[in-house]
């Protein structure tokens, strides 16, 4: 999320194009469509299982106004309406959380997220080692995305790639890097320049 745009990403089981409805009020008067990226994976440890196919949707919500609340909903899914705030055009204050190495223990990761939710932060940086084995797709759901529920829908979460997150399939990039961006990036928020 910046002053004038926000990246939204999600996964579906179906191959059809996706749509995000959004706006400054709950009428969600604007929308943008996506063409999903197909990802096939085999459930590790089960040699008899067929490959599973999922579709990753990524898009930018653009031409937003600084310091405003925006509402959004993912069309074609059971998505609730969520909200986020764009960065203000000028501020001397920023509140953010930084943690890392959240792999291997989703229940502890969830407790950390619950504490962050209580603090009402502007953004979160996770400094790598998000999952135990980056090439095991189902671990991304269990160890990373599931514990972030209730936070990632409304607060920007910036993830840094750790050595455990490496995968020949490029799951980190497919799941967490917005269109046109890189796994190495910087965040500017008020007086803070944070390089990841």
């Amino acid at each position: 999320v910046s002053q004038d745009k926000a990246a939204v990403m999600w996964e579906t089981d179906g191959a059809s194009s996706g749509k995000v409805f959004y706006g400054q009020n709950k009428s969600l008067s604007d929308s943008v469509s996506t063409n999903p990226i197909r990802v096939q994976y085999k459930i590790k440890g089960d040699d008899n299982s067929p490959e599973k196919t999922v579709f990753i949707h990524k898009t930018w919500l653009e031409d937003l106004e600084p310091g405003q609340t925006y509402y959004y909903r993912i069309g074609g899914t059971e998505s609730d309406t969520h909200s986020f705030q764009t960065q203000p055009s000028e501020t001397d204050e920023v509140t953010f959380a930084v943690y890392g190495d959240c792999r291997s223990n989703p229940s502890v990761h969830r407790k950390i997220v619950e504490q962050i939710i209580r603090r009402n932060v502007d953004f979160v940086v996770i400094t790598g080692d998000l999952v135990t084995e980056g090439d095991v797709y189902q671990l991304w759901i269990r160890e990373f995305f599931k514990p972030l529920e209730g936070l990632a829908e409304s607060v920007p979460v910036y993830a840094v790639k750790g050595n455990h997150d490496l995968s020949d399939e490029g799951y980190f990039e497919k799941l967490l890097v917005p269109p046109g961006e890189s796994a190495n990036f910087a965040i500017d928020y008020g007086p803070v320049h944070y390089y990841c």
Side-chain angles (χ1 to χ4, degrees):
V1 176
S2 68
Q3 291 181 14
D4 62 355
K5 67 181 182 175
V8 180
M9 298 179 279
W10 70 98
E11 176 185 294
T12 61
D13 291 330
S16 60
S17 63
K19 192 173 253 192
V20 181
F21 298 94
Y22 67 100
Q24 286 187 343
N25 56 54
K26 292 185 180 178
S27 67
L28 309 176
S29 56
D30 296 315
S31 67
V32 62
S33 296
T34 64
N35 291 314
I37 301 165
R38 181 182 183 170
V39 174
Q40 276 191 290
Y41 69 96
K42 190 168 182 81
I43 301 205
K44 190 166 183 171
D46 187 354
D47 294 333
N48 297 321
S49 73
E51 286 190 335
K52 179 161 172 58
T53 302
V54 295
F55 298 87
I56 308 299
H57 299 258
K58 299 180 177 186
T59 191
W60 287 102
L61 310 182
E62 298 183 287
D63 300 321
L64 307 180
E65 295 178 22
Q68 299 298 312
T69 298
Y70 282 85
Y71 298 89
Y72 73 97
R73 181 177 54 79
I74 309 300
T77 68
E78 298 298 316
S79 168
D80 293 332
T81 299
H82 302 285
S83 66
F84 65 90
Q85 197 135 23
T86 53
Q87 293 179 12
S89 56
E90 291 184 28
T91 184
D92 290 334
E93 295 182 16
V94 59
T95 304
F96 59 98
V98 179
Y99 69 99
D101 207 3
C102 51
R103 64 185 173 87
S104 308
N105 201 332
S107 62
V108 172
H109 187 189
R110 180 63 196 166
K111 288 177 183 176
I112 292 167
V113 168
E114 288 169 357
Q115 291 301 315
I116 292 170
I117 289 170
R118 291 188 184 108
R119 301 299 188 272
N120 194 28
V121 299
D122 297 309
F123 65 88
V124 175
V125 176
I126 306 175
T127 61
D129 290 347
L130 315 174
V131 294
T132 306
E133 296 178 64
D135 60 347
V136 181
Y137 193 85
Q138 64 268 26
L139 289 180
W140 288 93
I141 297 162
R142 185 170 62 90
E143 294 183 3
F144 185 68
F145 289 110
K146 212 55 176 148
L148 285 171
E149 284 182 0
L151 175 70
E153 299 89 348
S154 58
V155 175
V157 175
Y158 302 102
V160 179
K161 188 177 191 177
N163 65 309
H164 283 269
D165 308 322
L166 300 174
S167 107
D168 292 337
E169 301 297 325
Y171 291 145
F172 180 93
E173 288 76 11
K174 288 176 183 173
L175 294 168
L176 297 172
V177 179
E181 296 293 320
S182 162
N184 298 319
F185 58 94
I187 305 160
D188 289 310
Y189 195 108
V192 173
H193 178 76
Y194 198 117
Y195 180 74
C196 300

